[in-house]
Amino acid sequence: MAQKPSIPKGTRDFSPEQVFKRNYIFNIIKDSFERFGFQPIETPSFEKSETLMGKYGEEGDRLIFKILNSGDYFKDVRADIVDATIIHIAFIDLFETLIDKCNNNLKDYEGILDVKLNFFHLGEISEIESELLQDFFLGIKNDFITLFEENKDLSEEESKENIIKLRDNKFVSFFGIYMNEFDTLNSSKAIKKISEKALRYDLTVPFARYVVQHQNEIEFPFKRYQIQPVWRADRPQKGRFREFFQCDADVVGSKSLWQEVEFVQLYDTVFSNLGLNGVTIKINNRKILSGIAEVIGAKDKLIDFTVALDKLDKIGEEKVKEEMLGKGIPQEGINKLQPLFNLKGSFEEQIEELKSILSTSEEGVKGIEELEFIDKAINSLELKSAKLQLDVTLARGLNYYTGAIFEVSAPEGVSMGSIGGGGRYDDLTGIFGMKDVSGVGISFGLDRIYLVLEELGLFPKAAMKNTKVLFINFGDKEALFCLKAIKQLRESGIKAELYPDNAKMKKQMNYANKRKIPFVVLVGEEELNNDEFTLKNMATGEQEKLTLNSLISTVKK
Amino acid sequence: MAQKPSIPKGTRDFSPEQVFKRNYIFNIIKDSFERFGFQPIETPSFEKSETLMGKYGEEGDRLIFKILNSGDYFKDVRADIVDATIIHIAFIDLFETLIDKCNNNLKDYEGILDVKLNFFHLGEISEIESELLQDFFLGIKNDFITLFEENKDLSEEESKENIIKLRDNKFVSFFGIYMNEFDTLNSSKAIKKISEKALRYDLTVPFARYVVQHQNEIEFPFKRYQIQPVWRADRPQKGRFREFFQCDADVVGSKSLWQEVEFVQLYDTVFSNLGLNGVTIKINNRKILSGIAEVIGAKDKLIDFTVALDKLDKIGEEKVKEEMLGKGIPQEGINKLQPLFNLKGSFEEQIEELKSILSTSEEGVKGIEELEFIDKAINSLELKSAKLQLDVTLARGLNYYTGAIFEVSAPEGVSMGSIGGGGRYDDLTGIFGMKDVSGVGISFGLDRIYLVLEELGLFPKAAMKNTKVLFINFGDKEALFCLKAIKQLRESGIKAELYPDNAKMKKQMNYANKRKIPFVVLVGEEELNNDEFTLKNMATGEQEKLTLNSLISTVKK
């Protein structure tokens, strides 16, 4: 292999430094999850296709990575392909013969057509419903007879051209049938026959599957967290990957609003513990959005309405109004939205404003009550460093959420999309036949949090669990002496290593430098005889001779 | 969906208890790896197929999970399939016509054959090398002429039967060509066109790829560890899974034997820290095996020899000898093996015995020196709880290893295969074009270690990071009061949760019981007014009234 090997588009290798930093984030998230009473589960990387397919919409289905069946995966497709191609060939053959035998004699043509049509009675395509095909070929026969009669007076050459035109014409509709009806060379239809497993696309659907499958072993309400990779065949682009970790915490089996309260606290706890102060936890409620749509007479256009409203930050008030108008929301309704565009002030002030806007919508009023409950509880419990903010334009994953909607944005001044999000979904497990199980959950965007911590310099040095002491290797006798000491250091919890080869001093020191190992120990003949160690501080260059005990206590500091 | 959902064969869901226990093992392994100076890397779950294929032998290639290309993955295959099936149909059509027109007139037959053979000059199968096919059809023509001449005097009916026989006969060889030469419906040939990525099969090949790809960023010797899942399409059976974690530590870029010494120490450290005392670390050296093969005159039969020797434990001395004889190892050579079968005693005693057996083999002597170096160092450094044992029958992965070979077996009395293994391989990165980089490494068998710890009851209670205190929910006022206390508990590092609903007391207590939560806190009107908490110990049933501070200190104990 002449070329350097590489990895697939959209995937990443993680260097030791990156792994340490990622684990630093994971550990803080896990620790907080556990303090809040969430328990970890893990599910397989691939699920049965039927578990995943159809759960994420058409676009989602397309982005799911499918795994090829093992062994002779083509077995089932092969028979179908042969069948369908027999028909394909029959079609080509029919026109070949017609063109070939073109002597402007209708009787000849009819004879050929009848023989060819008979082909489909021979039982050779027994596995396919041939009715459709019979109709199609009979249609060709009729078209051909018409064509022939219309062109009676043409030369043989012209007649041939007409037949070719008819063929090319028919070929398009033939392929229409061929591709759609015969389940063969069509990628999306053949898939079921050559693949029955797929890599998970998110952690929510596998979680729902887990809950339904293990419902008899689970105590509800079930508070679970899950930190595992997911895979999406997205077009790779900056900051978007085909393999990435999701960190989810969800509760299923309770509709209590105290859970929403706790999730706000959980966000606050994790980001405070990461040293990322000043994040904004935006909250909204699906019922508020429904209520507004109801009030402005666009109840049936809830999706269009919220998709437009969601863009307020990006495109501004006027464009949002234009889009709504374009989607058929009446001007009169849009006028009623005006107070919404002017919504300002504290959580409580916005709530008061919403009360007057939504007074006529039962659902809207319910949404306001829920938001108020959460806000009051949080005010009383107090957040450490995050800010809770009402944002009525927040709509993410609307098809999905039925109550609270959360989204977290990085502290002001850091330009980054949302670093977390979540909400309540009233029928999580319904897709697997277990009805009326309400769920609510949040997730953390690891890759973006990593970038934010990096940008703000918030990774503590201690996150790098690098080797602390390198013992220089001056030969086997010294190396054995060093390994005895190293054993003691390691038992004291100090990360220590011996340079394995008796290489040039410079090379060994270079290794320590490049690896950013802060201490180096030198043991030559003198140290060996005196049972002592020369410790060099790589930052200051200072050296001192120490006993093993003082070496351990010095380095441990 | 009427049926309960399920997961693919050979995969597993992990419950909270299982995740906690697995993480307990992972954390001890990681911690030890890091104390020994190993640094973590992570590689993508899927690699380019070219990176993985051909690295694990034919059987391995078959067991690699392939990922289907996204989008119209069938595109490239489709054209080929159509081509190949044209030929298929041509074949069927040829015989159809021959049978149909069977009037015992050779001229007719020859005419038909010529017309049909012409078909392959029409450029319709331009994409395929048609030479092979031309030969094949010409062969049919000749066979047919012979057949016809031999059967001149037969009836038309009998002649037809003969043609059918010829067809069926030819069909078999036709399919031979068709399947092997035309790269189409053959699963293993089409694969390159519909899949270019595959799930990793182990961590060693991705590590080699990583080292070559990032060679300019890496300081050598490079001590890396990697703990990630791998996937194999093995037939699922008890204790064998299609997704499982590997835990590997390797060093590349140094031939120093001190690394072998450290790996013995590392095994000892991990198993001691897991409380799994008394494991046996078996060690051998490829050079010893080569030396023995040389001495008994079976140098060219090294694999056969070691495969047989490896079975000594299972099938006994006599059968091993029989197998060797069967593989063509001379009786005289096998006689020379006798001292090997009688090898007993300490590491040192076995070494002395080997010295006399292998004195004439340069390579064997080198192997003995290496083993002796490691043994002496380990004796001087002392192991905590493991035992280092020489085992000249140990051969695992012989094709792969070039020096030391390791295998760890569970303590006596526990019936379980090896729980770890490894060795030195002198050309790890050669497969990716980077020559002369020696590697040595070991791995830990997570699933088996789990089973052993479970069997011996060695998982400590503290590994279960379960919720410690459940606050019973008596209503919103009480719940808010409780959440204020819970916030303090969590900040003190105590895992605490509030039952989210104001459900019946019995239901809430039941939840605590089933979740094995050791403490329950009850806050009713009285406690609320007195700013105190009733703590119930679920094991003893004892209750006491406490202030928040004493609650925290009591529960934290």
Side-chain angles (χ1 to χ4, degrees), chain B residues 193-415:
Chain B
K193 301 192 173 171
I194 66 173
S195 161
E196 41 193 42
K197 293 183 289 290
L199 291 174
R200 68 174 160 248
Y201 178 86
D202 73 358
L203 301 178
T204 307
V205 169
F207 172 50
R209 194 266 310 144
Y210 181 97
V211 168
V212 177
Q213 188 176 336
H214 301 281
Q215 54 187 283
N216 298 325
E217 307 143 38
I218 291 173
E219 284 314 304
F220 293 96
F222 182 41
K223 299 176 82 167
R224 89 87 172 76
Y225 78 84
Q226 194 168 353
I227 300 180
Q228 290 192 282
V230 303
W231 296 268
R232 296 182 183 181
D234 253 324
R235 206 146 46 85
Q237 57 189 80
K238 202 164 176 268
R240 184 174 290 184
F241 304 102
R242 293 188 146 191
E243 172 175 39
F244 58 97
F245 268 76
Q246 289 195 333
C247 313
D248 287 11
D250 295 80
V251 193
V252 281
S254 164
K255 292 187 174 173
S256 163
L257 284 174
W258 287 111
Q259 297 174 135
E260 275 84 342
V261 173
E262 288 205 67
F263 278 120
V264 173
Q265 290 187 295
L266 181 53
Y267 266 139
D268 177 51
T269 301
V270 167
F271 288 116
S272 299
N273 289 348
L274 285 170
L276 189 59
N277 297 324
V279 304
T280 301
I281 304 166
K282 292 186 280 186
I283 187 169
N284 194 12
N285 195 304
R286 154 84 176 224
K287 297 182 181 98
I288 299 279
L289 292 166
S290 299
I292 297 171
E294 188 186 331
V295 165
I296 66 167
K299 207 173 175 179
D300 56 333
K301 297 202 169 63
L302 179 60
I303 304 285
D304 289 337
F305 160 71
T306 47
V307 164
L309 191 61
D310 199 27
K311 296 180 187 162
L312 187 59
D313 269 1
K314 281 172 223 142
I315 61 175
E317 185 178 325
E318 285 316 309
K319 296 249 170 184
V320 167
K321 286 176 177 170
E322 270 173 39
E323 185 171 327
M324 287 182 180
L325 211 56
K327 293 284 181 185
I329 296 172
Q331 182 64 52
E332 192 195 4
I334 295 174
N335 292 345
K336 285 194 195 152
L337 277 180
Q338 201 51 49
L340 218 62
F341 290 123
N342 301 337
L343 216 54
K344 270 198 213 88
S346 70
F347 202 114
E348 295 70 28
E349 284 162 352
Q350 289 192 54
I351 286 281
E352 289 315 311
E353 190 67 37
L354 280 176
K355 276 182 183 168
S356 76
I357 299 172
L358 293 177
S359 60
T360 60
S361 161
E362 197 185 327
E363 198 172 1
V365 170
K366 183 84 180 57
I368 292 171
E369 279 169 17
E370 292 188 12
L371 283 174
E372 231 177 345
F373 181 92
I374 297 164
D375 180 50
K376 281 193 176 146
I378 290 298
N379 275 337
S380 171
L381 290 163
E382 292 176 8
L383 296 181
K384 276 176 239 171
S385 75
K387 202 168 60 195
L388 182 65
Q389 194 175 78
L390 176 55
D391 180 354
V392 290
T393 69
L394 186 65
R396 46 178 292 140
L398 184 76
N399 295 327
Y400 195 64
Y401 296 125
T402 52
I405 304 170
F406 296 113
E407 188 168 282
V408 183
S409 53
E412 268 175 55
V414 182
S415 134

Side-chain angles (χ1 to χ4, degrees), chain A residues 312-349:
Chain A
L312 187 57
D313 269 2
K314 281 171 224 144
I315 63 176
E317 185 178 325
E318 285 316 310
K319 296 252 173 188
V320 168
K321 286 177 177 170
E322 270 172 38
E323 185 171 325
M324 287 182 179
L325 211 56
K327 293 286 182 184
I329 296 170
Q331 182 65 51
E332 194 196 4
I334 297 174
N335 293 343
K336 283 193 196 154
L337 278 180
Q338 201 52 47
L340 217 62
F341 291 122
N342 302 336
L343 217 53
K344 268 196 218 89
S346 69
F347 202 115
E348 293 71 28
E349 284 161 352

Side-chain angles (χ1 to χ4, degrees), chain B residues 154-171:
Chain B
L154 296 180
S155 72
E156 208 173 297
E157 200 57 30
E158 287 166 318
S159 199
K160 238 174 217 176
E161 264 171 41
N162 277 317
I163 298 174
I164 290 170
K165 251 184 227 154
L166 176 65
R167 181 194 64 186
D168 293 348
N169 207 339
K170 284 289 152 184
F171 200 63

Side-chain angles (χ1 to χ4, degrees), chain B residues 14-136:
Chain B
F14 295 107
S15 69
E17 185 183 331
Q18 290 168 322
V19 175
F20 282 136
K21 287 178 174 172
R22 287 163 61 89
N23 285 343
Y24 166 75
I25 300 173
F26 284 138
N27 286 336
I28 284 182
I29 293 176
K30 269 190 216 176
D31 180 66
S32 303
F33 282 171
E34 287 168 8
R35 287 190 201 194
F36 275 70
F38 290 90
Q39 297 185 291
I41 67 161
E42 289 180 10
T43 63
S45 297
F46 49 76
E47 296 270 353
K48 290 181 172 177
S49 297
E50 66 209 57
T51 300
L52 304 184
M53 298 298 282
K55 309 298 191 298
Y56 307 101
E58 222 175 284
E59 173 68 359
D61 277 3
R62 220 184 352 261
L63 299 185
I64 290 173
F65 278 113
K66 286 94 182 172
I67 295 172
L68 211 51
N69 293 342
S70 307
D72 187 6
Y73 59 87
F74 246 153
K75 204 177 54 191
D76 288 347
V77 167
R78 198 152 44 219
D80 284 355
I81 287 176
V82 169
D83 281 350
T85 318
I86 284 175
I87 296 159
H88 182 187
I89 301 308
F91 177 87
I92 291 169
D93 185 46
L94 170 68
F95 280 96
E96 283 296 330
T97 314
L98 288 173
I99 293 164
D100 197 43
K101 303 235 163 156
C102 184
N103 53 9
N104 280 2
N105 179 343
L106 181 57
K107 273 258 152 329
D108 281 2
Y109 287 117
E110 286 190 294
I112 289 168
L113 283 161
D114 286 336
V115 165
K116 291 293 170 188
L117 287 171
N118 256 335
F119 181 70
F120 298 102
H121 296 292
L122 294 178
E124 282 177 354
I125 51 156
S126 58
E127 282 178 38
I128 329 174
E129 294 91 53
S130 62
E131 214 170 293
L132 202 85
L133 201 79
Q134 293 280 344
D135 287 351
F136 181 74

Side-chain angles (χ1 to χ4, degrees), chain A residues 72-98:
Chain A
D72 187 6
Y73 58 87
F74 245 152
K75 205 177 53 189
D76 288 346
V77 168
R78 199 152 46 219
D80 283 356
I81 287 176
V82 170
D83 282 350
T85 319
I86 285 175
I87 295 158
H88 182 187
I89 302 306
F91 176 86
I92 292 169
D93 185 46
L94 170 67
F95 281 97
E96 284 297 331
T97 315
L98 289 173

